[in-house]
Amino acid sequence: MIQKRKAGAFRRLPNGAAGSFCKASGRNMCMIVPVTGENLREAAEVYAHGWRASHEAFCTQEFLSQHTDLYQMQYLEEELQKGKQFFLLHMPEPVGIVSVHGPMLEHLYVLPQAQGHGFGTQLLRFALAQGAYMLWVLDNNRRAIAWYESWGFAFTGRANWLSPTLRELEMARRGRHAVLGADGKGKNV
């Protein structure tokens, strides 16, 4: 059962929990819910559109066009079967998605038309509250790198080459409850 909580107050979700309320502007309430078979199609749409928008600057049109809603739905289904947890942010319609698998934060995407309204921040705060403190980011995604650094993430020195010109870099938060960003200002988590 969902219990009302102070806006922005996140808690760990036990397996099977219904969701968590989050901060929202105005009178609209956003909610973060686990991805299940019932909302898998919505999650795949958000994932596909967010993924394509984040990769369009460096992927070919042919490669981007392969990542359809159906393709991403099959991918999400496989990842869920492996034990990964995905969460969908509703405002009230779905606008963002994130995955938490142990300490790993993955797949944080917000629909392009919903970016710039704090939904990525809500998903990041939620993932941190679930215990995530590590992630991989593409080395050409300078905007994401700067954002994660402002939340206290730093490079670990580990990298995976995806192609001769593209790497993903591992980042981790310093300390169990690191709250200082790269700018030295505190972040409320």
Side-chain angles (χ1 to χ4, degrees):
M1 171 159 59
I2 299 173
Q3 297 178 1
K4 279 199 169 185
R5 301 178 62 82
K6 181 179 173 185
F10 294 109
R11 69 205 185 291
R12 282 187 184 271
L13 288 178
N15 287 337
S20 178
F21 289 98
C22 57
K23 285 184 181 178
S25 58
R27 293 188 292 167
N28 294 328
M29 175 63 86
C30 70
M31 194 166 119
I32 298 174
V33 298
V35 172
T36 65
E38 293 177 16
N39 62 5
L40 186 61
R41 183 172 300 281
E42 289 179 324
E45 290 174 10
V46 170
Y47 189 102
H49 292 271
W51 184 92
R52 284 193 304 264
S54 72
H55 288 69
E56 68 185 355
F58 58 92
C59 291
T60 65
Q61 268 313 117
E62 181 182 357
F63 186 69
L64 290 171
S65 67
Q66 295 173 9
H67 291 265
T68 63
D69 295 359
L70 179 60
Y71 177 90
Q72 297 299 22
M73 189 164 79
Q74 292 168 341
Y75 173 76
L76 290 176
E77 207 165 36
E78 290 170 10
E79 293 296 293
L80 288 168
Q81 288 174 2
K82 292 177 187 175
K84 290 190 179 181
Q85 293 181 297
F86 286 83
F87 299 93
L88 195 58
L89 185 146
H90 286 264
M91 183 58 195
E93 66 283 342
V95 295
I97 191 167
V98 68
S99 172
V100 177
H101 187 68
M104 193 62 63
L105 179 160
E106 299 177 303
H107 312 292
L108 196 160
Y109 297 111
V110 174
L111 291 174
Q113 66 272 23
Q115 292 179 5
H117 299 284
F119 299 128
T121 297
Q122 295 301 327
L123 287 167
L124 178 59
R125 286 181 177 175
F126 178 82
L128 295 173
Q130 302 308 304
Y133 61 87
M134 297 176 66
L135 59 90
W136 291 87
V137 63
L138 296 176
D139 65 355
N140 64 354
N141 194 344
R142 296 290 167 209
R143 184 175 173 206
I145 290 170
W147 185 62
Y148 287 127
E149 285 177 334
S150 78
W151 278 92
F153 285 86
F155 294 110
T156 66
R158 294 181 60 200
N160 291 323
W161 286 95
L162 304 176
S163 77
T165 59
L166 184 66
R167 296 178 300 164
E168 60 179 3
L169 307 172
E170 185 182 58
M171 298 182 83
R173 287 187 92 193
R174 298 292 182 222
R176 180 168 157 78
H177 299 290
V179 294
L180 290 182
D183 57 6
K185 296 179 182 174
K187 298 283 185 181
N188 295 321
V189 180

